Amino acid sequence: MPTSAHNLLVGTAISLICINMLAVAMVILGAGNLANCPLHPGIVVYLLGSGVTVLLTTVAGVAIQTRINKRYPLSIDRRWPNTALNTVSLLINVAWSIPGGYWVFSSMVPDFTDPSNPNYCHKDSFFLSMWTCIITWCMALFLIYFWVKLDRAIVRNDIKSASQEDDSRYCEDSSGCDT
């Protein structure tokens, strides 16, 4: 019977594979269509930059975690370097999606059929750039919401445990005291 740690490892591996397959597609479409978007060349540059950022973050994260696992083979509590790396990566992607969003959403009526038209942009590159921006912003908002909720829960738990400690010193014995 697989353990919860095994399920977490399998889920993480599947997530990394899916995210990196998308990042490889972003790099291939971005690099292959650098000249195929005269509407705004920044659209495919954004796609290329986002894909490279995700791939580099994954490679660095796996290298860091492998090194940590070799040094501390029995500990799963040493994840802070990867958490810091993922936070920095998210911040870079959100910052990069600001000009990317401007490039994509300021040119919302591209021509997908005539490459000689100055409003032409490769259809797949344009839509992948657009959805990458939207997903990046949604993930950032979700994580900000999650971090605020987590922070509030930690503060509430700290206040609750501190008040229980304060109440316990007024009790002579454990009878009549709620702990």
Side-chain angles (χ1 to χ4, degrees):
M1 176 106 180
T3 63
S4 61
H6 178 265
N7 291 340
L8 179 66
L9 182 63
V10 169
T12 302
I14 291 171
S15 298
L16 281 175
I17 290 169
C18 292
I19 288 170
N20 284 299
M21 285 172 49
L22 180 62
V24 167
M26 292 164 62
V27 169
I28 290 171
L29 270 176
N33 292 304
L34 279 173
N36 289 340
C37 195
L39 173 66
H40 205 297
I43 293 173
V44 289
V45 171
Y46 164 69
L47 196 58
L48 183 63
S50 293
V52 167
T53 303
V54 170
L55 291 172
L56 289 178
T57 302
T58 302
V59 168
V62 169
I64 289 170
Q65 196 60 47
T66 301
R67 192 168 185 197
I68 290 171
N69 289 345
K70 284 181 181 176
R71 189 167 183 185
Y72 305 102
L74 299 177
S75 177
I76 56 174
D77 293 331
R78 304 200 188 271
R79 294 191 199 111
W80 70 266
N82 272 342
T83 303
L85 178 69
N86 290 334
T87 303
V88 168
S89 171
L90 178 67
L91 291 174
I92 290 170
N93 271 326
V94 168
W96 183 235
S97 72
I98 293 170
Y102 172 75
W103 295 327
V104 170
F105 296 114
S106 68
S107 46
M108 280 302 290
V109 193
D111 179 19
F112 298 124
T113 56
D114 183 16
S116 63
N117 188 339
N119 288 333
Y120 175 77
C121 192
H122 186 262
K123 185 177 182 179
D124 295 335
S125 298
F126 180 81
F127 283 116
L128 187 56
S129 295
M130 182 183 72
W131 283 109
T132 301
C133 279
I134 292 170
I135 290 169
T136 300
W137 293 339
C138 289
M139 281 179 46
L141 289 174
F142 171 76
L143 288 175
I144 289 169
Y145 173 78
F146 177 74
W147 285 332
V148 167
K149 293 295 262 184
L150 181 65
D151 187 49
R152 286 184 180 171
I154 290 170
V155 168
R156 276 196 306 267
N157 192 28
D158 288 345
I159 291 171
K160 183 178 176 184
S161 63
S163 68
Q164 286 177 348
E165 290 171 7
D166 290 344
D167 291 343
S168 66
R169 65 184 164 163
Y170 294 116
C171 296
E172 298 297 325
D173 58 16
S174 61
S175 64
C177 290
D178 294 330
T179 57

